[in-house]
């Protein structure tokens, strides 16, 4: 039987009230259990404390339920090219990278400290260190104030490694010009480390230069940017994370 936040049945009550009455806990504790994914209604996990349930519906607290605080999490996504970092909006044709942050897209990667996805993990996520819509690669979403502060206030100190697919002929001594500080669109950029991975791919190590500058930098070097992929942010690499999937930042990992 479906649940509704606004149920016309006068006999239905809020799930949090029902749970509190049945197990003898406070309403705040009941809301925590529900929010943490520890409560089922008719055998299905229900994570909305305000959902309404009827007397005949079975409400149960799962084994292992606890009142430990739900810690904020950071999610690492392999963003496909063409996905925007803006939140989904009605009428917007461009797909949002945030729409990929679902339990079904959690990558099957070996982690020493696996995390069970909770509904709260996907709320109030803030994307950090923007990446152009046309680019792919590593993107960070976080609820953790420490990570948010690190990747905003100290963003200039975090090296971003990007792989650029290019075509054309680079100007003479192009890499040396980058290392000295190239003038692009009237501005002198900080020194940029770059090297050829092969004949069509340039690897950039960017500090104090956002990935959105790679396209005009390539133009200034006589090249055309075909595709851009972010491989690393600080000490966190994209690794084998499949495109369109995400994983949790582990507690021991640092940018």
């Amino acid at each position: 039987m479906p649940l509704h936040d606004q149920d016309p049945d006068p006999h239905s009550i809020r799930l949090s009230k029902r749970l509190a009455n049945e197990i003898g806990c406070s309403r705040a504790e009941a809301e925590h259990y529900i929010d943490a994914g520890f409560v089922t209604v008719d055998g299905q996990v229900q994570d909305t404390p305000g959902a309404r349930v009827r007397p005949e519906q079975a409400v149960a607290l799962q084994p292992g339920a606890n009142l430990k605080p739900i810690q904020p999490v950071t999610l690492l996504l392999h963003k496909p090219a063409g996905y925007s970092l803006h939140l989904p909006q009605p009428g917007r044709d461009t797909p949002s990278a945030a729409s990929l942050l679902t339990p079904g897209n959690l990558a099957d990667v070996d982690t020493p400290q696996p995390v069970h996805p909770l509904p709260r993990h996907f709320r109030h996520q803030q994307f950090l260190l923007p990446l152009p819509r046309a680019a792919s690669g590593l993107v960070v979403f976080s609820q953790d104030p420490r990570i948010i502060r690190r990747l905003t206030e100290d963003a200039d100190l975090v090296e971003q490694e990007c792989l650029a697919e290019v075509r054309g002929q680079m100007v003479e001594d192009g890499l040396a010009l980058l290392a000295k500080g190239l003038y692009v669109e009237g501005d002198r950029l900080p020194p940029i480390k770059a090297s050829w991975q092969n004949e069509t791919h340039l690897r950039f190590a960017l500090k104090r230069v956002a990935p959105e500058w790679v396209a005009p930098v390539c133009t200034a070097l006589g090249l055309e940017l075909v595709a851009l992929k972010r491989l690393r942010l600080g000490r966190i690499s994209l690794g084998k994370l499949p495109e369109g999937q995400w994983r949790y930042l582990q507690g021991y990992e640092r940018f």
Side-chain angles (χ1 to χ4, degrees), residues 84-103:
S84 167
L85 287 174
H86 296 290
L87 294 177
Q89 293 182 7
R92 184 183 290 238
D93 294 333
T94 304
S96 169
S99 68
L100 299 172
L101 301 178
T102 65

Side-chain angles (χ1 to χ4, degrees), residues 59-235:
V59 174
L61 186 65
Q62 297 186 64
N66 60 71
L67 293 171
K68 294 179 182 178
I70 302 174
Q71 299 298 322
V73 297
T74 298
L75 312 180
L76 306 175
L77 171 70
H78 185 165
K79 184 185 90 69
Y83 277 71
S84 167
L85 287 174
H86 296 290
L87 294 177
Q89 293 182 7
R92 184 183 290 238
D93 294 333
T94 304
S96 169
S99 68
L100 299 172
L101 301 178
T102 65
N105 287 329
L106 175 59
D108 184 15
V109 293
D110 292 329
T111 55
Q113 301 171 20
V115 182
H116 178 69
L118 297 176
R120 185 182 287 189
H121 291 169
F122 306 103
R123 301 176 194 155
H124 311 297
Q125 285 285 352
Q126 179 175 336
F127 74 83
L128 304 163
L129 293 177
L131 189 65
R133 184 181 67 185
S136 64
L138 182 61
V139 167
V140 179
F141 290 83
S142 186
Q143 305 165 329
D144 190 332
R146 297 168 303 171
I147 299 296
I148 294 172
R149 184 166 52 251
R150 165 67 170 157
L151 297 185
T152 51
E153 295 179 4
D154 298 333
D156 285 348
L157 303 178
V158 178
E159 186 174 80
Q160 304 187 48
E161 183 179 353
C162 296
L163 186 64
E165 181 183 353
V166 297
R167 58 181 167 225
Q169 183 67 40
M170 179 181 282
V171 299
E172 187 176 354
D173 296 328
L175 296 183
L177 293 174
L178 279 177
K180 292 179 180 178
L182 188 68
Y183 280 94
V184 177
E185 299 179 353
D187 294 319
R188 184 170 185 177
L189 299 181
I192 296 175
K193 294 185 292 184
S195 60
W196 286 102
Q197 177 169 295
N198 54 44
E199 293 181 352
T200 59
H201 287 80
L202 266 174
R203 190 179 294 265
F204 289 92
L206 306 174
K207 267 192 178 182
R208 297 185 294 134
V209 178
E212 65 187 34
W213 280 96
V214 173
V217 162
C218 288
T219 300
L221 293 175
L223 301 170
E224 178 186 354
L225 179 64
V226 176
L228 182 67
K229 185 174 187 177
R230 185 157 63 190
L231 304 177
R232 178 175 55 84
L233 285 170
R235 287 171 283 186

